[in-house]
Amino acid sequence: MTTTLYYFTGTGNSLLVAQKLAAQLENVTLKPLNPSLTDVEAPLSETIGFVYPVYFTAMPDLVKRAIEQIDLSRAKYLFAVTTSGGMPGNALADLDTLLQAQNKKLSYGYNINMPDNSIMLRTPDSEAEQYLAQVDEKTANIALEIKKGLSVDKPYKPTIKASLTTAVTKLAVKHIYHAERTKADMSRCNGCQSCIKLCPVGNIRMEADQIVFDGHCDMCFACINWCPKQAIQFGRIDTTKKPQYRCPSVTMKDVIESR
Protein backbone atom coordinates (compact mmCIF):
# COMPACT_ATOMS: atom_id res chain seq x y z
CA MET A 1 0.00 0.00 0.00
CA THR A 2 1.20 3.51 -0.79
CA THR A 3 0.11 6.40 1.38
CA THR A 4 0.17 10.16 1.03
CA LEU A 5 0.28 11.70 4.49
CA TYR A 6 -0.43 15.41 4.84
CA TYR A 7 0.43 17.18 8.07
CA PHE A 8 0.33 20.60 9.67
CA THR A 9 2.32 21.48 12.76
CA GLY A 10 2.67 24.57 14.91
CA THR A 11 4.98 23.58 17.73
CA GLY A 12 5.98 20.11 16.55
CA ASN A 13 3.50 17.63 18.05
CA SER A 14 1.73 16.79 14.81
CA LEU A 15 4.99 16.58 12.88
CA LEU A 16 6.32 14.07 15.43
CA VAL A 17 3.17 11.95 15.08
CA ALA A 18 3.30 12.17 11.27
CA GLN A 19 6.95 11.05 11.28
CA LYS A 20 6.18 8.13 13.60
CA LEU A 21 3.23 7.04 11.44
CA ALA A 22 5.30 7.30 8.27
CA ALA A 23 7.91 5.03 9.83
CA GLN A 24 5.26 2.43 10.71
CA LEU A 25 3.37 2.48 7.40
CA GLU A 26 4.79 1.40 4.04
CA ASN A 27 5.69 3.64 1.11
CA VAL A 28 4.62 6.93 2.68
CA THR A 29 5.00 10.34 1.08
CA LEU A 30 4.94 13.09 3.72
CA LYS A 31 3.59 16.45 2.56
CA PRO A 32 3.25 19.68 4.53
CA LEU A 33 -0.30 20.97 4.75
CA ASN A 34 -0.82 24.73 4.74
CA PRO A 35 -3.02 27.36 3.06
CA SER A 36 -0.31 28.19 0.51
CA LEU A 37 -0.26 24.59 -0.71
CA THR A 38 0.59 24.46 -4.41
CA ASP A 39 0.72 20.69 -5.02
CA VAL A 40 -3.04 20.14 -5.04
CA GLU A 41 -3.37 17.62 -7.87
CA ALA A 42 -5.03 14.32 -7.01
CA PRO A 43 -2.46 12.19 -5.17
CA LEU A 44 -1.71 8.86 -6.87
CA SER A 45 -2.11 7.06 -3.54
CA GLU A 46 -5.50 5.55 -2.82
CA THR A 47 -4.77 5.84 0.90
CA ILE A 48 -4.66 9.45 2.11
CA GLY A 49 -3.98 10.56 5.66
CA PHE A 50 -4.05 13.82 7.57
CA VAL A 51 -2.30 14.70 10.82
CA TYR A 52 -3.11 18.04 12.42
CA PRO A 53 -3.56 19.70 15.81
CA VAL A 54 -6.84 20.62 17.49
CA TYR A 55 -7.39 24.36 17.95
CA PHE A 56 -10.22 25.51 20.21
CA THR A 57 -11.72 21.96 20.09
CA ALA A 58 -11.97 22.14 16.28
CA MET A 59 -10.01 21.69 13.07
CA PRO A 60 -7.73 24.69 12.52
CA ASP A 61 -9.16 27.08 9.93
CA LEU A 62 -5.90 27.08 7.97
CA VAL A 63 -5.98 23.26 7.75
CA LYS A 64 -9.54 23.42 6.45
CA ARG A 65 -8.57 25.92 3.76
CA ALA A 66 -5.63 23.74 2.69
CA ILE A 67 -7.62 20.50 2.48
CA GLU A 68 -10.33 22.22 0.46
CA GLN A 69 -7.74 22.72 -2.29
CA ILE A 70 -6.74 19.05 -2.60
CA ASP A 71 -8.36 16.83 -5.22
CA LEU A 72 -9.23 13.63 -3.37
CA SER A 73 -11.07 11.97 -6.25
CA ARG A 74 -8.68 8.97 -6.36
CA ALA A 75 -8.76 8.33 -2.63
CA LYS A 76 -10.43 5.13 -1.44
CA TYR A 77 -9.35 5.14 2.19
CA LEU A 78 -9.05 8.38 4.17
CA PHE A 79 -7.76 8.55 7.72
CA ALA A 80 -6.83 11.26 10.17
CA VAL A 81 -4.93 11.57 13.43
CA THR A 82 -5.38 14.68 15.53
CA THR A 83 -3.21 15.88 18.39
CA SER A 84 -4.77 17.73 21.30
CA GLY A 85 -4.20 18.71 24.88
CA GLY A 86 -7.07 16.45 25.91
CA MET A 87 -10.09 18.03 24.23
CA PRO A 88 -10.35 16.70 20.64
CA GLY A 89 -13.85 18.14 20.27
CA ASN A 90 -15.10 18.29 16.69
CA ALA A 91 -11.72 18.15 14.94
CA LEU A 92 -12.41 14.77 13.28
CA ALA A 93 -16.07 15.57 12.60
CA ASP A 94 -14.98 18.81 10.90
CA LEU A 95 -12.82 16.80 8.51
CA ASP A 96 -15.58 14.28 7.81
CA THR A 97 -17.91 17.16 6.93
CA LEU A 98 -15.25 18.62 4.66
CA LEU A 99 -14.72 15.31 2.88
CA GLN A 100 -18.43 14.94 2.19
CA ALA A 101 -18.16 17.92 -0.16
CA GLN A 102 -16.04 15.64 -2.39
CA ASN A 103 -18.41 12.70 -1.88
CA LYS A 104 -15.89 11.06 0.43
CA LYS A 105 -15.93 10.01 4.07
CA LEU A 106 -13.44 9.73 6.88
CA SER A 107 -12.77 6.00 7.13
CA TYR A 108 -10.76 6.11 10.31
CA GLY A 109 -9.90 8.77 12.88
CA TYR A 110 -7.97 8.84 16.12
CA ASN A 111 -6.91 11.52 18.60
CA ILE A 112 -3.61 11.38 20.48
CA ASN A 113 -3.33 13.44 23.64
CA MET A 114 -0.14 15.49 23.57
CA PRO A 115 1.28 18.34 25.65
CA ASP A 116 -0.89 21.38 25.01
CA ASN A 117 0.86 24.12 23.04
CA SER A 118 -1.65 26.69 24.29
CA ILE A 119 0.00 29.74 25.83
CA MET A 120 -3.01 30.02 28.16
CA LEU A 121 -3.39 26.44 29.48
CA ARG A 122 -0.05 24.68 29.57
CA THR A 123 0.09 20.95 30.34
CA PRO A 124 2.02 20.18 33.56
CA ASP A 125 5.52 18.85 32.84
CA SER A 126 4.90 15.46 34.48
CA GLU A 127 1.75 14.92 32.41
CA ALA A 128 3.51 16.11 29.24
CA GLU A 129 6.24 13.50 29.76
CA GLN A 130 3.62 10.76 30.05
CA TYR A 131 1.94 11.85 26.81
CA LEU A 132 5.22 11.91 24.91
CA ALA A 133 6.25 8.51 26.27
CA GLN A 134 3.12 6.96 24.74
CA VAL A 135 3.57 8.27 21.20
CA ASP A 136 5.50 5.26 19.87
CA GLU A 137 2.98 2.74 21.15
CA LYS A 138 -0.05 4.71 20.01
CA THR A 139 1.24 5.42 16.51
CA ALA A 140 2.22 1.75 16.13
CA ASN A 141 -1.33 0.68 17.04
CA ILE A 142 -2.85 3.28 14.72
CA ALA A 143 -0.61 2.17 11.84
CA LEU A 144 -1.64 -1.44 12.40
CA GLU A 145 -5.33 -0.54 12.23
CA ILE A 146 -4.78 1.52 9.08
CA LYS A 147 -2.95 -1.39 7.43
CA LYS A 148 -5.94 -3.59 8.23
CA GLY A 149 -8.22 -1.04 6.56
CA LEU A 150 -10.25 -0.48 9.72
CA SER A 151 -13.24 1.70 8.88
CA VAL A 152 -16.11 3.14 10.90
CA ASP A 153 -19.65 2.71 9.62
CA LYS A 154 -21.16 5.88 11.03
CA PRO A 155 -19.96 9.37 10.10
CA TYR A 156 -18.17 11.49 12.66
CA LYS A 157 -20.74 13.97 13.91
CA PRO A 158 -20.03 17.31 15.60
CA THR A 159 -21.37 17.82 19.10
CA ILE A 160 -23.16 20.90 20.33
CA LYS A 161 -20.95 21.04 23.41
CA ALA A 162 -17.73 21.17 21.37
CA SER A 163 -19.21 23.71 18.95
CA LEU A 164 -20.15 25.98 21.85
CA THR A 165 -16.71 25.56 23.40
CA THR A 166 -15.09 26.58 20.11
CA ALA A 167 -17.29 29.66 19.76
CA VAL A 168 -16.85 30.80 23.37
CA THR A 169 -13.07 30.27 23.33
CA LYS A 170 -12.63 32.23 20.12
CA LEU A 171 -14.70 35.08 21.55
CA ALA A 172 -12.56 35.06 24.70
CA VAL A 173 -9.35 35.18 22.68
CA LYS A 174 -10.66 38.14 20.72
CA HIS A 175 -12.45 40.19 23.36
CA ILE A 176 -10.72 39.22 26.65
CA TYR A 177 -7.16 38.42 25.61
CA HIS A 178 -7.23 40.87 22.66
CA ALA A 179 -5.29 38.75 20.19
CA GLU A 180 -5.28 41.61 17.70
CA ARG A 181 -2.76 43.38 19.94
CA THR A 182 -0.09 40.72 19.41
CA LYS A 183 3.27 42.40 18.95
CA ALA A 184 7.00 41.90 19.29
CA ASP A 185 8.90 43.48 22.14
CA MET A 186 11.79 44.88 20.13
CA SER A 187 13.84 45.39 23.29
CA ARG A 188 13.99 41.60 23.60
CA CYS A 189 13.98 40.71 19.87
CA ASN A 190 17.36 39.69 18.42
CA GLY A 191 16.27 40.28 14.81
CA CYS A 192 16.52 36.61 13.76
CA GLN A 193 13.16 36.85 11.90
CA SER A 194 12.34 33.25 12.79
CA CYS A 195 8.76 34.32 13.47
CA ILE A 196 8.39 35.45 9.86
CA LYS A 197 9.66 32.11 8.56
CA LEU A 198 7.48 30.14 10.99
CA CYS A 199 4.19 31.84 10.18
CA PRO A 200 2.15 29.60 7.85
CA VAL A 201 -0.14 32.41 6.67
CA GLY A 202 2.32 35.24 6.04
CA ASN A 203 0.97 37.33 8.89
CA ILE A 204 4.37 38.62 10.09
CA ARG A 205 6.82 40.89 8.34
CA MET A 206 9.75 43.19 9.06
CA GLU A 207 9.23 46.89 8.42
CA ALA A 208 11.70 49.61 9.36
CA ASP A 209 13.50 47.29 11.77
CA GLN A 210 10.21 46.42 13.47
CA ILE A 211 8.34 43.11 13.53
CA VAL A 212 4.82 43.82 12.28
CA PHE A 213 1.72 41.64 12.62
CA ASP A 214 -0.84 42.15 9.84
CA GLY A 215 -3.98 41.01 11.68
CA HIS A 216 -4.85 37.67 10.06
CA CYS A 217 -3.28 35.31 12.62
CA ASP A 218 -4.53 31.70 12.60
CA MET A 219 -3.48 31.05 16.21
CA CYS A 220 -0.91 28.29 15.63
CA PHE A 221 1.35 29.97 18.22
CA ALA A 222 4.48 28.81 16.38
CA CYS A 223 6.00 32.29 16.45
CA ILE A 224 5.45 32.63 20.21
CA ASN A 225 6.51 29.13 21.19
CA TRP A 226 9.66 29.06 19.05
CA CYS A 227 10.89 32.64 19.59
CA PRO A 228 14.38 32.23 21.13
CA LYS A 229 13.97 35.43 23.15
CA GLN A 230 10.27 35.11 24.13
CA ALA A 231 9.83 38.50 22.52
CA ILE A 232 6.30 38.08 21.15
CA GLN A 233 3.40 39.16 23.33
CA PHE A 234 0.00 37.65 22.60
CA GLY A 235 -2.47 40.41 23.39
CA ARG A 236 -2.81 40.71 27.17
CA ILE A 237 -0.88 37.51 27.90
CA ASP A 238 2.66 37.94 29.17
CA THR A 239 4.67 35.18 27.48
CA THR A 240 7.90 36.04 29.31
CA LYS A 241 6.92 34.52 32.67
CA LYS A 242 7.69 30.93 31.70
CA PRO A 243 9.21 29.05 28.74
CA GLN A 244 6.70 28.09 26.06
CA TYR A 245 6.12 24.51 24.96
CA ARG A 246 8.08 23.03 22.06
CA CYS A 247 7.95 19.38 21.07
CA PRO A 248 11.35 18.09 22.28
CA SER A 249 11.81 15.76 19.28
CA VAL A 250 11.32 18.51 16.69
CA THR A 251 13.45 21.53 15.84
CA MET A 252 12.52 25.00 14.69
CA LYS A 253 14.22 24.18 11.38
CA ASP A 254 11.87 21.20 10.96
CA VAL A 255 8.83 23.43 11.41
CA ILE A 256 10.14 26.15 9.11
CA GLU A 257 10.81 23.56 6.40
CA SER A 258 7.18 22.44 6.59
CA ARG A 259 5.94 25.87 5.50
Side-chain angles (χ1 to χ4, degrees), residues 27-39:
N27 301 317
V28 176
T29 300
L30 270 175
K31 290 191 175 185
L33 186 63
N34 58 65
S36 60
L37 190 69
T38 55
D39 183 11

Side-chain angles (χ1 to χ4, degrees), residues 1-5 21-30 44-47 147:
M1 143 177 118
T2 61
T3 301
T4 301
L5 185 57
L21 277 177
Q24 296 286 344
L25 296 170
E26 301 172 357
N27 301 317
V28 176
T29 300
L30 270 175
L44 296 176
S45 308
E46 293 184 346
T47 300
K147 287 179 180 179

Side-chain angles (χ1 to χ4, degrees), residues 13 52-54 82-89 111-116 131:
N13 285 341
Y52 55 90
V54 178
T82 57
T83 59
S84 76
M87 297 179 65
N111 177 74
I112 296 180
N113 288 340
M114 296 286 281
D116 202 326
Y131 285 157

Side-chain angles (χ1 to χ4, degrees), residues 98 121 128 213 240 246:
L98 202 61
L121 299 171
F213 290 79
T240 65
R246 304 167 185 171

